[in-house]
Amino acid sequence: MAIERLLKDEATEEKGERARMASFIGAMAIADLVKTTLGPKGMDKILQSTDRGRSLTVTNDGATILKSLHIDNPAAKVLVDISKVQDDEVGDGTTSVVVLAGELLREAEKLTMAKIHPMTIIAGYRMAAECARNALLQRTMDNKQDPEKFREDLMKIAITTLSSKILSQDKEHFAKLAVDAVMRLKGSTNLEAIQIIKKAGGSLSDSFLDEGFILDKKIGIGQPKRIENAKILVANTAMDTDKVKIYGARVRVDSMAKVAQIEAAEKEKMREKVQKIVAHGINCFVNRQLIYNFPEELFADAGILAIEHADFDGIERLALVTGGEIASTFDNPESVKLGHCKLIEEIMIGEDKLIHFSGVEMGQACTIVLRGASSHVLDEAERSLHDALCVLSQTVNDTRVLFGGGWPEMVMARQVDELARRTPGKKSHAIEAFSRALQIIPTIIAGNAGLDSAELISQLRAEHHKENSKAGIDVITGNVGDMEKLGISESFKVKQAVLLSATEAAEMILRVDEIITCAPRKREDRM
Amino acid sequence: MNLNLRTDFTISTRHKYNGFHCALPSLLKLPISPLPRFSPAHFFQNPPVLSLSLSAASGGCGIRGGGGGCDLQKGEVAMALAFDEYGRPFIILREQEHKTRLRGLEAQKANIAAGKAVARILRTSLGPKGMDKMLQSPDGDVIITNDGATILEQMDVDNQIAKLMVELSRSQDYEIGDGTTGVVVLAGALLEQSEKLLERGIHPIRIAEGYEMASRIAWDHLEQISQKFEFSVTNIEPLVQTCSTTLSSKIVSRRKRDLAAIAVEAVLAVADLERRDVNLDLIKVEGKVGGKLEDTELVHGIIVDKDMSHPQMPKRIEDAKIAILTCPFEPPKPKTKHKVDIDTVEKFQTLRQQEQKYFDDMVQKCKDVGATLVICQWGFDDEANHLLMHRNLPAVRWVGGVELELIAIATGGRIVPRFQELTPEKLGRAGIVREKSFGTTKDRMLYIEQCANSRAVTIFIRGGNKMMIEETKRSIHDALCVARNLIRNNSIVYGGGSAEISCSVAVEAAADRHPGVEQYAIRAFAEALDAIPMALAENSGLQPIDTLTAVKSQQVKENNPYCGIDCNDVGTNDMREQDVFETLIGKQQQILLATQVVKMILKIDDVITPSDY
């Protein structure tokens, strides 16, 4: 007798072969979706959001594309997740990781068709991934000792990363910007200190790196527009009406006269506060919260530049660059650390006025001003630059470098192939499949560039059978080229993360033999 | 057609069909009032349904079951409809048409089918080659796991019996922490066997009794074949091996050795070897997406997923004296309703001064007792935050209650609920407190290490994605539980199904000596025990029957209870050589819990479900 219901209504259950098929197909669909964006000649995607604004995004950043998709297939969600993690962790390679995982699953599908148990495939994949990682490790280059060369490496990596993005037209320019910005961080991975300001207008090549700090705010009316040798107090305090914070306090009066008195007292309180701030001997005051007209006027009277409503990141960054501390009480002017900079002035970028702090004490932070034709271009440029900055800052910490252009994949594929030949048993099929999946990545890069991928890959493979080959795909000329001469490099850390997380994700999906989907949670009717 | 007719019919039913085990299903659905829509003619169209179970009941082995069924039949009529002394009917169970009801053998069969269905889902997850399940929650989140308890918990089960199985797995999880899949598979096998016995007409209670006896035999036998196994703080190798066995069925099996070592080290760090007890609450398992599984580490201290309240506070504090507070750095909020009326300028000013003094006092108090770090459960006012920063007193805000307790245990400090009660003795001590950032986004965590009391540790898991981390957390939890069980009771049995096979042989032998109907049930129990090695073999891609029979005969022939299924294709059947252990209490608990649940399910003979709205 059939059991009527084991699970709740609307909950579904997929078993065995069907479940596996469902997850393979979901994962491969995702991989195919982002496949065409891979490599220097990859294409972009237009994403239209479903919200009221119907806003558009044009991008070829894998993580951005996948983040904006509404996906129902659980296996596909796993892939979206790894791409997101890749973005958080190393910043680049978000597309490659999904494509590689997709290819691994595609190969696994063929193997399961040939009646090889998923567990056997997993065992093979694990061995292959380990072997591939070792192969990469052996071939890394490290120029940590030589700062000149290391900087060159960074430039190469930045150019390689940027060449697949919208910035590829001016990649040298931007690579230099990115490298300069990252070198200023001195090993810290805190990208918060690099501010990116987007201003529409001009062309991408008008973008520049500013050593100082730019705050996207206006200077109050009647206040000095230019201050030399500025002493800056960075604050986070209420400059509207200073509320009484004691719980339950309220004003209860019985005559108009008293209202006026209290108002006067309130004003007096604000005046005192301003005086205390002025007593710090500053000539610039930056507050995170609003500054009302009254205190602003007071500041103007004292000849102090007051900037209101800077966002929290801006405040933190400003404190970082000027070396001041973020203050909220003003009773001990002698012990508060003030920030310093040589010059504060209002500058114009395009049509907007911005406040520029130059000659700051700490050189860590800097600002990159991006110019471009439209906001879409600027958004995409920011994402690209962010990718480049992430990769660079990771490379500063882990200085190992590899060649690019499909070289690492071919190196790994060769080693994995050799392992397959040495390994007895069914596992060797899986190992072989792993090597095939690795080779798919250069194939896709070549394919996206409109080259004869089959021809190129076979040439490349032949090339790689020589010891210490440096051959990779030269997308520009459409031939196999020497990666060292072409100056195409990638960070080891990114490649390793791609390899490991793609294998992990593929393994995870392979192990599934049943999918149970709960009934979607009912939305409450808000009608 | 009137009321009399109905009464007559009832009598005739009792007379004619006395001894029937099954009730008329259609009877239920009939509207009770107005009664006489029922006719004997209608009734007699149904007998085929009845006679089916008639043979089952009377053709049995002459047990009391028939009688019981008879009572049930009478009871049914009485339950739906009773008659007072004047012969007037009144209804006990109302609104029959809105309820579905299953009774007697049919109820048992439906229940067994439901239990089996649950077990079937978990069966493929058993053992080192078991597969995972992908579960999508109502909110669309994806969980991938092969932990039995987690699968069942997330499964959105609606059937009552299936819920019982979920409970079963959960109680194994609470009690032992491992073997949550095995217990359900065993219960499913027991149910399957009892279905056959029911068909032969054995009364469910007799089956239940037989199972009970058999489980006792198996329990004792486990004790016999178990081995004491020695370990000490210096020799943790055996512990690590047992934990490896647990982890080998999980996705983390790639690094099982390392993770097992981490788990054992963590457990030993917090274990009280004198009392043979481990408080697992002292081990915190924290995960952060990113990095790789190899980066997973054991931190002798606490990790809090928070950062300093002010970005410019020092990121590293040595020899920290920690004030652990549960009061906010904010003006006090009395619970009683009150109002402070401001009606003069003077009051306004005094109030303002008072307010500033509050903040000043709070910070000063912390400073006075010598604290160098403040950890607070609540938030800070901007002003207080700056004062703290200004007075060079780093602080952390919004730390959760559990973490706060752990920090207090680890650092030997006391949780202070009021600033007034802060004293130097109540401060916790830690050798080093540092902030560490991860990845490209602003992700920071606070490490509190070298604590005064080292008996609180954190296992910090890294992994490629969120699902991986969650699954690793569950696996680590299992491993921790196993290690704890071993410290509590250091007896082990060998895994790979060897213990089950050995029990099966023992129970089988005992069955023959047992007179009475229970003999069948005991034999069935033995067969159900075979289900676990069978599932193991099946999941490992071996021929289940071939393998099982081979191993069984080998056990009997060589009198070696340590032969099991060679899941990993190592080449030997002897689990002693493969180093595959499980804890004795875990195994015993599995058998005990599974038997209990099956007994409970067998005893149900009536399922009443209110219909959905």
Side-chain angles (χ1 to χ4, degrees), chain A residues 262-295:
Chain A
I262 296 217
E263 204 192 333
E266 234 171 40
K267 264 196 168 163
E268 194 51 43
K269 182 178 164 190
M270 185 49 73
R271 193 188 302 276
E272 259 175 45
K273 190 165 182 181
V274 172
Q275 266 158 14
K276 269 188 207 159
I277 294 171
V278 173
H280 286 68
I282 56 167
N283 45 21
C284 176
F285 176 71
V286 184
N287 192 16
R288 189 174 81 83
Q289 299 175 25
L290 282 175
I291 304 179
Y292 268 24
N293 285 356
F294 176 63

mmCIF file of all heavy atoms in Angstrom, chain A residues 262-295:
data_model
loop_
_atom_site.group_PDB
_atom_site.id
_atom_site.type_symbol
_atom_site.label_atom_id
_atom_site.label_comp_id
_atom_site.label_asym_id
_atom_site.label_seq_id
_atom_site.Cartn_x
_atom_site.Cartn_y
_atom_site.Cartn_z
ATOM 1 N N ILE A 262 14.403 78.053 27.663
ATOM 2 C CA ILE A 262 15.022 76.754 27.395
ATOM 3 C C ILE A 262 15.664 76.751 26.023
ATOM 4 O O ILE A 262 16.752 76.212 25.816
ATOM 5 C CB ILE A 262 13.970 75.646 27.518
ATOM 6 C CG1 ILE A 262 13.504 75.615 28.949
ATOM 7 C CG2 ILE A 262 14.528 74.315 27.010
ATOM 8 C CD1 ILE A 262 13.211 74.312 29.540
ATOM 9 N N GLU A 263 14.995 77.377 25.092
ATOM 10 C CA GLU A 263 15.561 77.462 23.757
ATOM 11 C C GLU A 263 16.904 78.157 23.809
ATOM 12 O O GLU A 263 17.887 77.725 23.194
ATOM 13 C CB GLU A 263 14.599 78.215 22.850
ATOM 14 C CG GLU A 263 14.794 77.858 21.388
ATOM 15 C CD GLU A 263 14.059 78.813 20.484
ATOM 16 O OE1 GLU A 263 13.043 79.390 20.921
ATOM 17 O OE2 GLU A 263 14.530 78.998 19.356
ATOM 18 N N ALA A 264 16.924 79.237 24.582
ATOM 19 C CA ALA A 264 18.171 79.977 24.721
ATOM 20 C C ALA A 264 19.242 79.091 25.344
ATOM 21 O O ALA A 264 20.394 79.068 24.906
ATOM 22 C CB ALA A 264 17.949 81.221 25.581
ATOM 23 N N ALA A 265 18.832 78.293 26.356
ATOM 24 C CA ALA A 265 19.784 77.414 27.008
ATOM 25 C C ALA A 265 20.317 76.380 26.021
ATOM 26 O O ALA A 265 21.501 76.026 26.018
ATOM 27 C CB ALA A 265 19.117 76.720 28.182
ATOM 28 N N GLU A 266 19.403 75.906 25.178
ATOM 29 C CA GLU A 266 19.801 74.932 24.178
ATOM 30 C C GLU A 266 20.842 75.533 23.245
ATOM 31 O O GLU A 266 21.853 74.913 22.934
ATOM 32 C CB GLU A 266 18.568 74.522 23.382
ATOM 33 C CG GLU A 266 18.354 73.035 23.341
ATOM 34 C CD GLU A 266 17.005 72.693 22.734
ATOM 35 O OE1 GLU A 266 16.613 73.365 21.756
ATOM 36 O OE2 GLU A 266 16.369 71.780 23.254
ATOM 37 N N LYS A 267 20.553 76.727 22.810
ATOM 38 C CA LYS A 267 21.471 77.421 21.910
ATOM 39 C C LYS A 267 22.816 77.631 22.593
ATOM 40 O O LYS A 267 23.875 77.439 21.992
ATOM 41 C CB LYS A 267 20.891 78.775 21.519
ATOM 42 C CG LYS A 267 20.168 78.729 20.192
ATOM 43 C CD LYS A 267 19.957 80.120 19.658
ATOM 44 C CE LYS A 267 19.510 80.052 18.220
ATOM 45 N NZ LYS A 267 18.921 81.287 17.732
ATOM 46 N N GLU A 268 22.707 77.998 23.851
ATOM 47 C CA GLU A 268 23.914 78.247 24.629
ATOM 48 C C GLU A 268 24.756 76.979 24.691
ATOM 49 O O GLU A 268 25.979 76.991 24.534
ATOM 50 C CB GLU A 268 23.504 78.686 26.057
ATOM 51 C CG GLU A 268 24.624 79.299 26.849
ATOM 52 C CD GLU A 268 25.343 80.401 26.086
ATOM 53 O OE1 GLU A 268 24.702 81.251 25.427
ATOM 54 O OE2 GLU A 268 26.582 80.392 26.127
ATOM 55 N N LYS A 269 24.044 75.871 24.872
ATOM 56 C CA LYS A 269 24.720 74.586 24.964
ATOM 57 C C LYS A 269 25.466 74.297 23.667
ATOM 58 O O LYS A 269 26.621 73.871 23.660
ATOM 59 C CB LYS A 269 23.659 73.515 25.209
ATOM 60 C CG LYS A 269 24.194 72.130 25.376
ATOM 61 C CD LYS A 269 23.033 71.177 25.664
ATOM 62 C CE LYS A 269 23.444 69.757 25.466
ATOM 63 N NZ LYS A 269 22.285 68.861 25.506
ATOM 64 N N MET A 270 24.805 74.541 22.553
ATOM 65 C CA MET A 270 25.434 74.304 21.257
ATOM 66 C C MET A 270 26.619 75.239 21.075
ATOM 67 O O MET A 270 27.685 74.839 20.611
ATOM 68 C CB MET A 270 24.394 74.509 20.157
ATOM 69 C CG MET A 270 24.881 74.191 18.781
ATOM 70 S SD MET A 270 25.716 72.587 18.681
ATOM 71 C CE MET A 270 24.337 71.487 18.823
ATOM 72 N N ARG A 271 26.412 76.477 21.505
ATOM 73 C CA ARG A 271 27.494 77.441 21.356
ATOM 74 C C ARG A 271 28.715 76.989 22.167
ATOM 75 O O ARG A 271 29.845 77.025 21.675
ATOM 76 C CB ARG A 271 27.024 78.818 21.831
ATOM 77 C CG ARG A 271 27.957 79.967 21.431
ATOM 78 C CD ARG A 271 27.557 81.264 22.081
ATOM 79 N NE ARG A 271 26.200 81.684 21.781
ATOM 80 C CZ ARG A 271 25.856 82.361 20.670
ATOM 81 N NH1 ARG A 271 26.763 82.677 19.784
ATOM 82 N NH2 ARG A 271 24.610 82.713 20.453
ATOM 83 N N GLU A 272 28.437 76.511 23.364
ATOM 84 C CA GLU A 272 29.528 76.008 24.194
ATOM 85 C C GLU A 272 30.266 74.864 23.504
ATOM 86 O O GLU A 272 31.486 74.783 23.492
ATOM 87 C CB GLU A 272 28.964 75.467 25.514
ATOM 88 C CG GLU A 272 29.120 76.417 26.673
ATOM 89 C CD GLU A 272 28.435 75.840 27.893
ATOM 90 O OE1 GLU A 272 28.630 74.635 28.160
ATOM 91 O OE2 GLU A 272 27.695 76.583 28.565
ATOM 92 N N LYS A 273 29.454 73.981 22.936
ATOM 93 C CA LYS A 273 30.039 72.817 22.266
ATOM 94 C C LYS A 273 30.949 73.275 21.133
ATOM 95 O O LYS A 273 32.082 72.804 20.988
ATOM 96 C CB LYS A 273 28.929 71.931 21.722
ATOM 97 C CG LYS A 273 29.403 70.597 21.226
ATOM 98 C CD LYS A 273 28.234 69.647 21.042
ATOM 99 C CE LYS A 273 28.703 68.294 20.603
ATOM 100 N NZ LYS A 273 27.575 67.386 20.400
ATOM 101 N N VAL A 274 30.433 74.222 20.352
ATOM 102 C CA VAL A 274 31.230 74.723 19.242
ATOM 103 C C VAL A 274 32.502 75.363 19.769
ATOM 104 O O VAL A 274 33.587 75.156 19.230
ATOM 105 C CB VAL A 274 30.401 75.717 18.398
ATOM 106 C CG1 VAL A 274 31.289 76.381 17.358
ATOM 107 C CG2 VAL A 274 29.254 75.004 17.733
ATOM 108 N N GLN A 275 32.332 76.087 20.863
ATOM 109 C CA GLN A 275 33.517 76.748 21.413
ATOM 110 C C GLN A 275 34.566 75.729 21.843
ATOM 111 O O GLN A 275 35.760 75.894 21.634
ATOM 112 C CB GLN A 275 33.129 77.651 22.582
ATOM 113 C CG GLN A 275 32.904 79.072 22.118
ATOM 114 C CD GLN A 275 32.031 79.851 23.069
ATOM 115 O OE1 GLN A 275 31.806 79.411 24.197
ATOM 116 N NE2 GLN A 275 31.532 80.986 22.630
ATOM 117 N N LYS A 276 34.064 74.682 22.462
ATOM 118 C CA LYS A 276 34.997 73.618 22.870
ATOM 119 C C LYS A 276 35.721 73.043 21.666
ATOM 120 O O LYS A 276 36.917 72.773 21.707
ATOM 121 C CB LYS A 276 34.215 72.495 23.549
ATOM 122 C CG LYS A 276 34.098 72.673 25.044
ATOM 123 C CD LYS A 276 33.494 71.414 25.612
ATOM 124 C CE LYS A 276 32.743 71.687 26.882
ATOM 125 N NZ LYS A 276 31.767 70.636 27.171
ATOM 126 N N ILE A 277 34.963 72.860 20.606
ATOM 127 C CA ILE A 277 35.590 72.307 19.395
ATOM 128 C C ILE A 277 36.609 73.294 18.847
ATOM 129 O O ILE A 277 37.731 72.923 18.487
ATOM 130 C CB ILE A 277 34.513 71.983 18.344
ATOM 131 C CG1 ILE A 277 33.624 70.845 18.860
ATOM 132 C CG2 ILE A 277 35.139 71.600 17.021
ATOM 133 C CD1 ILE A 277 32.408 70.584 18.027
ATOM 134 N N VAL A 278 36.207 74.550 18.835
ATOM 135 C CA VAL A 278 37.117 75.575 18.320
ATOM 136 C C VAL A 278 38.390 75.624 19.165
ATOM 137 O O VAL A 278 39.484 75.821 18.654
ATOM 138 C CB VAL A 278 36.409 76.941 18.294
ATOM 139 C CG1 VAL A 278 37.401 78.046 17.927
ATOM 140 C CG2 VAL A 278 35.269 76.917 17.296
ATOM 141 N N ALA A 279 38.193 75.394 20.481
ATOM 142 C CA ALA A 279 39.325 75.473 21.389
ATOM 143 C C ALA A 279 40.417 74.458 21.066
ATOM 144 O O ALA A 279 41.532 74.536 21.582
ATOM 145 C CB ALA A 279 38.848 75.281 22.827
ATOM 146 N N HIS A 280 40.117 73.476 20.239
ATOM 147 C CA HIS A 280 41.146 72.505 19.850
ATOM 148 C C HIS A 280 42.201 73.147 18.956
ATOM 149 O O HIS A 280 43.195 72.517 18.645
ATOM 150 C CB HIS A 280 40.523 71.324 19.093
ATOM 151 C CG HIS A 280 39.771 70.385 19.973
ATOM 152 N ND1 HIS A 280 38.602 70.720 20.593
ATOM 153 C CD2 HIS A 280 40.029 69.115 20.343
ATOM 154 C CE1 HIS A 280 38.161 69.700 21.300
ATOM 155 N NE2 HIS A 280 39.019 68.707 21.174
ATOM 156 N N GLY A 281 41.912 74.352 18.537
ATOM 157 C CA GLY A 281 42.867 75.024 17.672
ATOM 158 C C GLY A 281 42.858 74.485 16.262
ATOM 159 O O GLY A 281 43.890 74.330 15.628
ATOM 160 N N ILE A 282 41.692 74.162 15.778
ATOM 161 C CA ILE A 282 41.608 73.561 14.456
ATOM 162 C C ILE A 282 41.195 74.594 13.440
ATOM 163 O O ILE A 282 40.698 75.667 13.782
ATOM 164 C CB ILE A 282 40.571 72.418 14.444
ATOM 165 C CG1 ILE A 282 39.212 72.952 14.933
ATOM 166 C CG2 ILE A 282 41.043 71.274 15.280
ATOM 167 C CD1 ILE A 282 38.085 72.014 14.672
ATOM 168 N N ASN A 283 41.379 74.259 12.188
ATOM 169 C CA ASN A 283 40.772 75.087 11.171
ATOM 170 C C ASN A 283 39.948 74.271 10.177
ATOM 171 O O ASN A 283 39.531 74.759 9.149
ATOM 172 C CB ASN A 283 41.800 75.963 10.463
ATOM 173 C CG ASN A 283 43.032 75.172 10.105
ATOM 174 O OD1 ASN A 283 42.966 73.951 10.026
ATOM 175 N ND2 ASN A 283 44.136 75.867 9.904
ATOM 176 N N CYS A 284 39.756 72.990 10.512
ATOM 177 C CA CYS A 284 38.854 72.194 9.693
ATOM 178 C C CYS A 284 38.132 71.199 10.594
ATOM 179 O O CYS A 284 38.742 70.554 11.447
ATOM 180 C CB CYS A 284 39.632 71.463 8.607
ATOM 181 S SG CYS A 284 38.612 70.384 7.626
ATOM 182 N N PHE A 285 36.839 71.090 10.425
ATOM 183 C CA PHE A 285 36.043 70.194 11.263
ATOM 184 C C PHE A 285 35.184 69.321 10.341
ATOM 185 O O PHE A 285 34.433 69.829 9.513
ATOM 186 C CB PHE A 285 35.163 71.042 12.189
ATOM 187 C CG PHE A 285 34.234 70.241 13.043
ATOM 188 C CD1 PHE A 285 34.714 69.474 14.097
ATOM 189 C CD2 PHE A 285 32.871 70.239 12.800
ATOM 190 C CE1 PHE A 285 33.852 68.733 14.875
ATOM 191 C CE2 PHE A 285 32.003 69.502 13.583
ATOM 192 C CZ PHE A 285 32.496 68.752 14.625
ATOM 193 N N VAL A 286 35.385 68.006 10.469
ATOM 194 C CA VAL A 286 34.615 67.095 9.608
ATOM 195 C C VAL A 286 33.733 66.238 10.511
ATOM 196 O O VAL A 286 34.232 65.575 11.415
ATOM 197 C CB VAL A 286 35.556 66.175 8.788
ATOM 198 C CG1 VAL A 286 34.745 65.325 7.846
ATOM 199 C CG2 VAL A 286 36.565 66.994 8.033
ATOM 200 N N ASN A 287 32.446 66.278 10.264
ATOM 201 C CA ASN A 287 31.543 65.523 11.125
ATOM 202 C C ASN A 287 30.798 64.477 10.314
ATOM 203 O O ASN A 287 30.478 64.676 9.149
ATOM 204 C CB ASN A 287 30.540 66.490 11.772
ATOM 205 C CG ASN A 287 29.772 65.804 12.881
ATOM 206 O OD1 ASN A 287 30.187 64.743 13.340
ATOM 207 N ND2 ASN A 287 28.680 66.404 13.292
ATOM 208 N N ARG A 288 30.535 63.336 10.979
ATOM 209 C CA ARG A 288 29.808 62.283 10.281
ATOM 210 C C ARG A 288 28.318 62.612 10.205
ATOM 211 O O ARG A 288 27.624 62.243 9.290
ATOM 212 C CB ARG A 288 29.985 60.947 10.994
ATOM 213 C CG ARG A 288 29.441 59.776 10.221
ATOM 214 C CD ARG A 288 29.768 58.478 10.894
ATOM 215 N NE ARG A 288 28.856 58.188 11.981
ATOM 216 C CZ ARG A 288 27.658 57.632 11.820
ATOM 217 N NH1 ARG A 288 27.252 57.312 10.628
ATOM 218 N NH2 ARG A 288 26.883 57.370 12.842
ATOM 219 N N GLN A 289 27.846 63.300 11.244
ATOM 220 C CA GLN A 289 26.426 63.596 11.272
ATOM 221 C C GLN A 289 26.162 64.987 10.711
ATOM 222 O O GLN A 289 27.078 65.699 10.318
ATOM 223 C CB GLN A 289 25.908 63.468 12.709
ATOM 224 C CG GLN A 289 26.102 62.063 13.235
ATOM 225 C CD GLN A 289 25.705 61.925 14.694
ATOM 226 O OE1 GLN A 289 24.900 62.684 15.199
ATOM 227 N NE2 GLN A 289 26.288 60.957 15.350
ATOM 228 N N LEU A 290 24.899 65.336 10.709
ATOM 229 C CA LEU A 290 24.513 66.638 10.162
ATOM 230 C C LEU A 290 25.078 67.785 10.993
ATOM 231 O O LEU A 290 25.299 67.636 12.194
ATOM 232 C CB LEU A 290 22.994 66.760 10.190
ATOM 233 C CG LEU A 290 22.227 66.027 9.107
ATOM 234 C CD1 LEU A 290 20.747 66.156 9.381
ATOM 235 C CD2 LEU A 290 22.557 66.617 7.755
ATOM 236 N N ILE A 291 25.311 68.894 10.337
ATOM 237 C CA ILE A 291 25.620 70.114 11.082
ATOM 238 C C ILE A 291 24.528 71.109 10.726
ATOM 239 O O ILE A 291 24.294 71.399 9.546
ATOM 240 C CB ILE A 291 26.997 70.691 10.701
ATOM 241 C CG1 ILE A 291 28.086 69.647 10.909
ATOM 242 C CG2 ILE A 291 27.286 71.936 11.512
ATOM 243 C CD1 ILE A 291 29.459 70.126 10.535
ATOM 244 N N TYR A 292 23.833 71.585 11.730
ATOM 245 C CA TYR A 292 22.743 72.506 11.437
ATOM 246 C C TYR A 292 23.290 73.889 11.100
ATOM 247 O O TYR A 292 24.471 74.177 11.309
ATOM 248 C CB TYR A 292 21.796 72.604 12.642
ATOM 249 C CG TYR A 292 20.658 71.631 12.560
ATOM 250 C CD1 TYR A 292 20.759 70.475 11.800
ATOM 251 C CD2 TYR A 292 19.467 71.866 13.238
ATOM 252 C CE1 TYR A 292 19.722 69.579 11.728
ATOM 253 C CE2 TYR A 292 18.423 70.973 13.170
ATOM 254 C CZ TYR A 292 18.552 69.824 12.418
ATOM 255 O OH TYR A 292 17.526 68.948 12.353
ATOM 256 N N ASN A 293 22.390 74.715 10.633
ATOM 257 C CA ASN A 293 22.815 76.037 10.183
ATOM 258 C C ASN A 293 23.474 76.859 11.287
ATOM 259 O O ASN A 293 24.464 77.532 11.072
ATOM 260 C CB ASN A 293 21.623 76.833 9.661
ATOM 261 C CG ASN A 293 21.230 76.326 8.316
ATOM 262 O OD1 ASN A 293 21.901 75.444 7.778
ATOM 263 N ND2 ASN A 293 20.174 76.847 7.761
ATOM 264 N N PHE A 294 22.893 76.728 12.467
ATOM 265 C CA PHE A 294 23.408 77.561 13.553
ATOM 266 C C PHE A 294 24.871 77.274 13.862
ATOM 267 O O PHE A 294 25.710 78.193 13.796
ATOM 268 C CB PHE A 294 22.495 77.384 14.771
ATOM 269 C CG PHE A 294 22.969 78.101 15.986
ATOM 270 C CD1 PHE A 294 23.074 79.488 15.983
ATOM 271 C CD2 PHE A 294 23.323 77.405 17.126
ATOM 272 C CE1 PHE A 294 23.511 80.152 17.101
ATOM 273 C CE2 PHE A 294 23.764 78.063 18.239
ATOM 274 C CZ PHE A 294 23.858 79.451 18.239
ATOM 275 N N PRO A 295 25.216 76.024 14.178
ATOM 276 C CA PRO A 295 26.641 75.763 14.423
ATOM 277 C C PRO A 295 27.507 76.022 13.203
ATOM 278 O O PRO A 295 28.647 76.483 13.348
ATOM 279 C CB PRO A 295 26.687 74.293 14.825
ATOM 280 C CG PRO A 295 25.361 73.736 14.576
ATOM 281 C CD PRO A 295 24.389 74.843 14.459
#
